[in-house]
Amino acid sequence: MAPPRARGTWRVLALLLGIAWTLPNSALGLLAGTAGLPFGARARINWREYALVFHRWPWGPGGALTLGNVIVHTGESLDARCRSYAHRAGLCVDPDMLLGDHERAHVFQYMVLGPLFLPMYLLCGGVSVRNRFERAADRYAHTGRGWWPWPAPAVPTNGRRN
């Protein structure tokens, strides 16, 4: 086992490589977030989420969207409580979670998959309770573990047949 200082060095190196690997996605997020600045959006670095966050982003149905290390968010704070995808779909009853925890899972997913994230996310169903990326982000937000989407967390059925 490496000494603690060496482990910290490897962690920082992995973080920097992940940020570089997902830079094309972050550029899209930066473009989207910057477009909202003249309409009231405000940018802040959020170290906990490893992201530049654009709060009060003026478009969309509400909530947040992660693109690389950039999060565009329609609200004031990522500390807002929200429901899981499965809960909103009526498939189970989950406790509320912090929106920032869910979005941080997506940041981690982006840093591992880089430019492959968006095509894989769309192939897995896009914004949907069936999307393994969303289920993993919900699991991470509830437990603090399990942000990686493989193997796919089960879709709750609430006793229904799929």
Side-chain angles (χ1 to χ4, degrees), residues 20-109:
W21 174 229
T22 196
L23 198 53
N25 299 310
S26 297
L28 290 173
L30 191 57
L31 187 66
T34 302
L37 290 174
F39 301 96
R42 296 291 172 253
R44 270 196 313 246
I45 293 178
N46 186 318
W47 298 108
R48 186 178 70 195
E49 313 313 347
Y50 300 97
L52 174 64
V53 181
F54 288 88
H55 296 284
R56 296 191 312 219
W57 198 65
W59 302 291
L65 169 71
T66 300
L67 292 162
N69 290 95
V70 177
I71 301 170
V72 292
H73 174 238
T74 59
E76 294 289 331
S77 169
L78 290 176
D79 289 332
R81 302 212 62 82
C82 65
R83 297 209 166 125
S84 71
Y85 276 81
H87 186 111
R88 285 183 291 186
L91 300 176
C92 67
V93 176
D94 281 331
D96 287 351
M97 60 189 172
L98 290 180
L99 180 59
D101 292 341
H102 177 94
E103 297 307 319
R104 185 180 327 114
H106 289 314
V107 169
F108 293 155
Q109 293 165 353

Side-chain angles (χ1 to χ4, degrees), residues 109 113 131-136 139 146-153:
Q109 293 165 353
L113 295 171
N131 189 317
R132 64 180 56 231
F133 290 93
E134 294 299 348
R135 292 194 320 272
R139 178 180 57 210
W147 55 264
W148 186 244
W150 283 276

